[in-house]
Amino acid sequence: MPHRQLSNTRLNAPVNVTWEITEACNLRCSHCLSADLRARGQGELNTDQCRALIDELARMQVFQVNFGGGEPFLRDDFLDLLRYAQARGITTCVSTNGTLLDHALLDELLAMESLYLQVSLDGSDRATNDVIRGGGTFDRILAGIELLASRGFPHYSLNMVVTRLNVGQIAEFDRLCRHYGAKTRLSRFRPSGGGCATWDEYRLTRQQLTELSRFLGERPEILTGDSFFALAPDSRRHLGLNMCGAAKMTCAIAPDGSIYPCAFLCDPAFLAGSVVDESLASIFDSSPVFERFRELEVDACRACDRFSVCHGGCPAVAYFLTETLGLPDPECLRSAVEVA
């Protein structure tokens, strides 16, 4: 989807929604964002409830839904729900680990329009990826990627969560993506979900943060998301958001219909409501949790010369490290190094 600058204008609906549509997964990645949701085991919306929610998303004119999990393709009715969302005019993106892709599934996916796939791969070689995503996963994921390439799937990216283990492979990862005709996407590692337990081991050093920022400045075509604006050099400021979009431009739906400000804040402290009990429109419009994020200011950052670039960065990182909202992102570029 096109990049958008976030203004202070209050929106009536999110531009995009992340929907963790299933708890089921065939992998156990050490940094899994959804590990806590799966551990709670609160169940999933049934097919009729999902269709009703898709109807509401369409009425709200939500532009894009990013389906994740768990592994979405493990849900028996997922393809039907995907087609239903597209029939309602919603642009759809599926985050998958790629291990379930086969010719039969590709036949179904190639018949859909406005469908984007994001395949997770956490290293450019077997040794690095498999430490994070599990033994044997590199070969299984690569088989799915090779199938996408051979079948000419039009819109897909390979996504790597940048950690201390793989940060030195970013250039090689980019070459691998280009080899298969995929877009390169880098996501930020954060201390939420399984990342809480692996934070000290996986987090980037200050030197690595600085080098990553420099690399991104030299490669504007590389896709980033997940609050990389806190690291972005000035040369990338026109490419995306310049502040946290949680509860403003986006929100997250858990498998059981619980609503949170974003996929990285699916913590009981930030439960905004449930679509089982009330409409998503009502939650987005009037949830006290969402109002809290819309009013959130990182006052300590206002004097920083990079304030207009990141507005304090990602509140999820600060919260999970300190259990306090409103503190500066500890991995922002200015914290990492004094830049000229």
Side-chain angles (χ1 to χ4, degrees):
M1 63 180 288
H3 296 288
R4 298 167 182 239
Q5 288 290 340
L6 180 61
S7 71
N8 291 323
T9 303
R10 178 167 176 156
L11 302 179
N12 293 323
V15 175
N16 64 73
V17 168
T18 296
W19 187 350
E20 312 291 6
I21 201 163
T22 182
E23 296 178 341
C25 193
N26 58 337
L27 302 185
R28 289 294 180 268
C29 304
S30 57
H31 61 4
C32 178
L33 172 65
S34 304
D36 290 347
L37 286 176
R38 289 206 318 272
R40 290 174 215 158
Q42 295 178 313
E44 301 174 3
L45 298 176
N46 63 36
T47 302
D48 289 340
Q49 289 172 317
C50 288
R51 283 176 171 260
L53 181 51
I54 290 170
D55 288 338
E56 183 175 21
L57 292 167
R59 287 194 300 271
M60 294 173 70
Q61 297 184 313
V62 171
F63 176 73
Q64 178 171 308
V65 174
N66 302 316
F67 290 102
E71 169 52 51
F73 291 121
L74 283 173
R75 181 166 169 142
D76 291 340
D77 60 357
F78 180 59
L79 290 178
D80 290 335
L81 294 173
L82 200 55
R83 283 188 285 264
Y84 190 72
Q86 292 194 331
R88 296 306 312 267
I90 299 172
T91 298
T92 53
C93 177
V94 181
S95 294
T96 175
N97 61 41
T99 62
L100 301 180
L101 296 174
D102 58 23
H103 283 289
L105 180 53
L106 258 292
D107 288 341
E108 300 277 4
L109 300 180
L110 284 166
M112 300 182 192
E113 297 180 359
S114 300
L115 175 64
Y116 297 80
L117 288 184
Q118 177 181 300
V119 182
S120 296
L121 185 69
D122 282 318
S124 62
D125 60 38
R126 183 178 297 106
T128 303
N129 173 85
D130 287 7
V131 168
I132 300 170
R133 305 191 70 81
T137 57
F138 183 83
D139 292 337
R140 294 166 62 193
I141 296 167
L142 206 62
I145 294 168
E146 289 174 346
L147 186 61
L148 288 170
S150 67
R151 294 290 302 271
F153 193 85
H155 306 297
Y156 76 103
S157 62
L158 306 187
N159 180 74
M160 185 169 79
V161 178
V162 183
T163 66
R164 193 178 303 179
L165 279 64
N166 59 30
V167 65
Q169 298 183 341
I170 290 177
E172 183 60 31
F173 181 77
D174 183 46
R175 285 191 288 271
L176 184 148
C177 294
R178 292 170 183 271
H179 172 75
Y180 288 108
K183 292 184 177 179
T184 304
R185 189 176 191 275
L186 302 178
S187 288
R188 186 175 173 189
F189 172 61
R190 278 177 278 195
S192 54
C196 292
T198 55
W199 176 252
D200 289 337
E201 180 184 359
Y202 285 6
R203 68 177 301 182
L204 300 184
T205 65
R206 290 192 173 192
Q207 181 179 352
Q208 289 169 339
L209 289 167
T210 305
E211 291 172 353
L212 174 59
S213 178
R214 185 180 301 114
F215 180 84
L216 292 174
E218 296 169 352
R219 305 299 293 271
E221 73 279 7
I222 289 181
L223 303 176
T224 61
D226 305 337
S227 79
F228 257 121
F229 53 82
L231 284 174
D234 287 350
S235 61
R236 288 182 67 97
R237 72 163 61 210
H238 67 287
L239 294 179
L241 299 181
N242 66 346
M243 65 176 72
C244 172
K248 306 179 188 80
M249 288 191 72
T250 189
C251 67
I253 307 170
D256 68 341
S258 298
I259 305 298
Y260 298 92
C262 86
F264 292 90
L265 288 163
C266 291
D267 184 87
F270 304 119
L271 176 62
S274 171
V275 297
V276 175
D277 302 319
E278 60 183 310
S279 69
L280 176 61
S282 174
I283 296 170
F284 189 79
D285 179 66
S286 58
S287 162
V289 171
F290 279 22
E291 288 299 324
R292 183 182 180 190
F293 275 86
R294 289 167 184 150
E295 297 171 359
L296 189 64
E297 296 284 350
V298 185
D299 293 332
C301 295
R302 285 193 169 275
C304 178
D305 62 331
R306 281 179 51 84
F307 183 73
S308 64
V309 179
C310 76
H311 293 265
C314 175
V317 178
Y319 174 79
F320 285 113
L321 292 180
T322 66
E323 296 187 354
T324 303
L325 282 177
L327 295 180
D329 187 328
E331 289 192 328
C332 75
L333 190 60
R334 184 59 72 225
S335 295
V337 66
E338 291 298 322
V339 294

